Amino acid sequence: MTSGAADISPTVRSTRVDGDKILVAACVIIPLIGLALFFLYPMSIVFLRSITTPDGTYGLGNYAEVLGSKGFWRATQHSMTMGAATTALSVFLGFIIAHGLHRCAFRGKWLIRGAIVLPLLAPSLVQALGLIFLLGRNGLISRAIGIELEIYGFWGLLIANTLYALPQAVMIIGASLVLLDARTYEAAEVIGAKPLRQFRDLTLPAIVFALLNSAFVVFIITITDFGNAAVIGGDYSVLATEIYTQVIGLRNFNMGAVVGIMLLLPTVISYVIERQSMKRQQGRHATNVQTFVPRFYAIRDVPMATACFVVVAAILSVIGIVIYASFVKLWPYNHDLTFKHFNITLAGGYASLWITIAISVGAAAGGTFLIFIMAMGLRKLSGGLAQTLQVLAAMPAAVPGIVLGLAYILTFNSTATPLYLLYGTATLIAVINFYHYHTQAFLTVMTGFRQFPAALEEAASTLGAGFGRTAVTVVAPFVAPMLVAVFFFLFMRSMVTLSAVVFLTTAKLDVAAVTIMRLDDAGLTSQAAAFSTCVMAVVCVALGVMKMMLKLLSRTPQTPKKG
């Protein structure tokens, strides 16, 4: 009996090890195939189309034509100017709010924290809609003061972009301020350093990389955003709208590809610099940081609180006026409340909302699964190969949504490839939504994996658990909060994204953000507000469910299940 058991045991062990190797390979290869087919391949098609001349040969004629166009240089100048102005204003206001939340002592911070995330819960064009309702020719403020304000163009777009990008700046700068050790400031007080001196010599040097990081993030968001520019930009053309005009308006795909590549250059440069800034900032992080508890200092806290609440009032006003206008009977003449604008008259009605919810669930579920198995596979790879794949997984963040959308229409709208079968389907929109936000989801899950104790995995292996069982019963429960956060992040971003999907909708398949844009284009502004309100309601419910699930997970001990 003993001899037979000894003969069988090595065979069983060998089979299990082979099975583990196959699972590891699948965990790496499947997500890698997805990145190759739905990111690298479409981006290569954009490049090839940009150098394809009208007669079918390859050359730089398209680039010469675009670079010789006054319209392109005007749009480029506008994009750079808008990007710089929005970045400066957003980082300045973002620093004030983040500093107020983390370094000042005043009441009502819960309101600031709640309001600052609102722009992330709505399509980008909602900011533009709100400004039109407030400051447009028939806007609430314009009529109240009796002056017809010109909100379309540079100033309206600047305000809309700033409100849209501001949450990103606040979160990045705030994350850096949280890591400042209170003991450093206590030591400064002991030697008699005043608050202003502490701010100059301690706070600013410690968050300089966070300021740079937030600046690059805001710049990328601004020059690649399509929604606000399409609604309130007016004659102030930018590169994102120039691509849309070339592809949708003129059906000039090759020229659209050229403009897309040109837009990609500043975005990639900004992304690389932002990554380097983030690495240097992470290198300064200390362990065992003692949380700073601010004490009231009137000269500092009163002005900071005032500034914070003024910005919050602006955000609440812009979002709130859209919700209010959706219930107004006849804007701006009859302010009786009604539900009639929720009876969407555009073809399809609410079909695009239900389709968007289904697409978002699909993108979130499939995306979370792919990110999880990729992270599991990377844990088993050697350093060099794993690092290469991590770089590849982070690359989609450098590609603007509108360029990725252009890449998809050029790739999947061609009968030369079997992938054509995906064109015009909800599946393709779910795929692009996932790969548009692939980097953020991947980095979030990897953060959770870095916190995973290796001893747990070793213990599971010692007890005979294979790779698959360890992933399901040991690793997944531990990183469950990260997986939940990634699922809802992908869901919420898929619900509100516009630039990445604007090229992929058809007469039979529409999504919520595009429906809002079309309602506004058709002059049905109140219905656009009503539809926006519905989208925001769905996202808010999702946010609430996420918080509940995370709260439940925090109460549940994250211990591996018994085999």
Side-chain angles (χ1 to χ4, degrees), residues 292-313:
F292 179 82
V293 180
R295 289 178 293 180
F296 182 73
Y297 187 62
I299 297 177
R300 176 197 64 195
D301 295 346
V302 172
M304 292 294 285
T306 302
C308 288
F309 284 114
V310 167
V311 175
V312 164

Side-chain angles (χ1 to χ4, degrees), residues 41-332:
Y41 178 53
M43 292 309 300
S44 66
I45 295 296
V46 172
F47 174 72
L48 289 175
R49 288 296 293 266
S50 73
I51 59 174
T52 302
T53 58
D55 58 5
T57 60
Y58 294 118
L60 300 178
N62 292 332
Y63 285 89
E65 184 176 343
V66 168
L67 293 175
S69 167
K70 292 183 179 178
F72 168 76
W73 289 111
R74 182 174 61 251
T76 301
Q77 181 184 358
H78 288 172
S79 288
M80 297 300 107
T81 302
M82 180 57 62
T86 303
T87 298
L89 187 56
S90 296
V91 173
F92 175 71
L93 295 177
F95 172 76
I96 289 177
I97 295 174
H99 193 270
L101 288 174
H102 299 288
R103 312 297 297 182
C104 298
F106 57 83
R107 294 182 178 180
K109 290 184 179 181
W110 62 270
L111 177 61
I112 299 174
R113 292 190 177 95
I116 202 64
V117 301
L118 289 178
L120 298 177
L121 307 181
S124 62
L125 50 77
V126 167
Q127 279 70 228
L129 277 177
L131 289 174
I132 292 172
F133 282 120
L134 283 172
L135 302 172
R137 294 181 181 88
N138 289 316
L140 201 65
I141 295 177
S142 300
R143 292 177 65 86
I145 64 177
I147 300 176
E148 189 173 293
L149 302 173
E150 183 52 57
I151 195 62
Y152 294 93
F154 175 83
W155 293 107
L157 188 54
L158 174 62
I159 299 172
N161 283 337
T162 299
L163 294 178
Y164 183 59
L166 186 59
Q168 303 284 350
V170 172
M171 288 188 291
I172 294 171
I173 299 171
S176 182
L177 288 171
V178 166
L179 295 171
L180 299 185
D181 200 324
R183 290 168 292 191
T184 305
Y185 291 86
E186 291 172 359
E189 288 183 1
V190 169
I191 64 174
K194 300 294 183 183
L196 183 60
R197 179 74 180 272
Q198 295 177 28
F199 173 76
R200 187 191 68 186
D201 294 343
L202 297 178
T203 305
L204 279 182
I207 66 169
V208 63
F209 292 116
L211 294 173
L212 289 174
N213 186 28
S214 64
F216 290 120
V217 169
V218 169
F219 183 79
I220 292 172
I221 291 173
T222 302
I223 66 171
T224 60
D225 179 65
F226 172 75
N228 284 324
V231 173
I232 206 170
D235 295 332
Y236 194 83
S237 61
V238 292
L239 287 173
T241 54
E242 187 71 15
I243 294 175
Y244 186 79
T245 300
Q246 290 290 338
V247 174
I248 300 299
L250 303 178
R251 309 299 295 178
N252 193 339
F253 292 95
N254 290 354
M255 289 301 173
V258 172
V259 179
I261 293 295
M262 300 301 287
L263 177 59
L264 193 60
L265 293 177
T267 306
V268 170
I269 293 171
S270 297
Y271 174 74
V272 171
I273 297 174
E274 181 262 331
R275 287 288 95 192
Q276 293 301 316
S277 173
M278 178 64 77
K279 287 180 181 178
R280 295 191 67 177
Q281 180 186 351
Q282 290 173 345
R284 298 170 64 100
H285 289 177
T287 57
N288 300 321
V289 174
Q290 184 173 318
T291 304
F292 179 82
V293 180
R295 289 178 293 180
F296 182 73
Y297 187 62
I299 297 177
R300 176 197 64 195
D301 295 346
V302 172
M304 292 294 285
T306 302
C308 288
F309 284 114
V310 167
V311 175
V312 164
I315 294 173
L316 293 176
S317 297
V318 169
I319 301 294
I321 197 68
V322 172
I323 298 172
Y324 173 68
S326 66
F327 293 98
V328 169
K329 190 170 186 178
L330 181 62
W331 186 273

Side-chain angles (χ1 to χ4, degrees), residues 444-464:
T444 300
V445 172
M446 289 303 293
T447 299
F449 270 77
R450 290 190 189 100
Q451 299 169 356
F452 180 76
L456 283 180
E457 194 169 5
E458 293 172 2
S461 179
T462 302
L463 293 172

Side-chain angles (χ1 to χ4, degrees), residues 481-513:
M482 293 293 184
L483 297 178
V484 169
V486 165
F487 176 89
F488 283 98
F489 167 77
L490 291 172
F491 175 84
M492 290 186 286
R493 298 316 297 165
S494 296
M495 283 295 303
V496 302
T497 190
L498 173 63
S499 60
V501 301
V502 69
F503 292 131
L504 299 180
T505 57
T506 65
K508 296 181 179 179
L509 177 67
D510 211 346
V511 294

